Amino acid sequence: GISAPQKATVSVSSDNSAFSEPVQLPINRDTDGVYWSGAEISGKGRYIKVDLTLSASFVFIDEVEVYAK
């Protein structure tokens, strides 16, 4: 089935090869059953890697937003 991931981490890289140490993202659930995550992460890079540990057969991601300070 489809479910939220057990775990989500994000890391950044300048060269798409050497990534920073992964930072774990919180998995939150709204009252209507929508799962979401967000975190303020410091780092600098051109590439973002999101790793998910599945708790079901599928996970859908609708949107990823990245903002620079």
Side-chain angles (χ1 to χ4, degrees), residues 14-63:
S14 294
D15 62 3
N16 200 23
S17 179
F19 281 85
S20 66
E21 195 67 30
V23 175
Q24 187 163 342
L25 299 173
I27 307 292
N28 304 297
R29 183 177 182 186
D30 289 340
T31 55
D32 59 358
V34 175
Y35 293 90
W36 62 276
S37 184
E40 188 170 316
I41 298 167
S42 62
K44 188 174 183 180
R46 180 177 179 186
Y47 303 93
I48 305 287
K49 178 168 64 171
V50 178
D51 284 315
L52 303 173
T53 301
L54 301 182
S55 59
S57 301
F58 298 97
V59 171
F60 292 122
I61 298 176
D62 292 332
E63 191 171 328

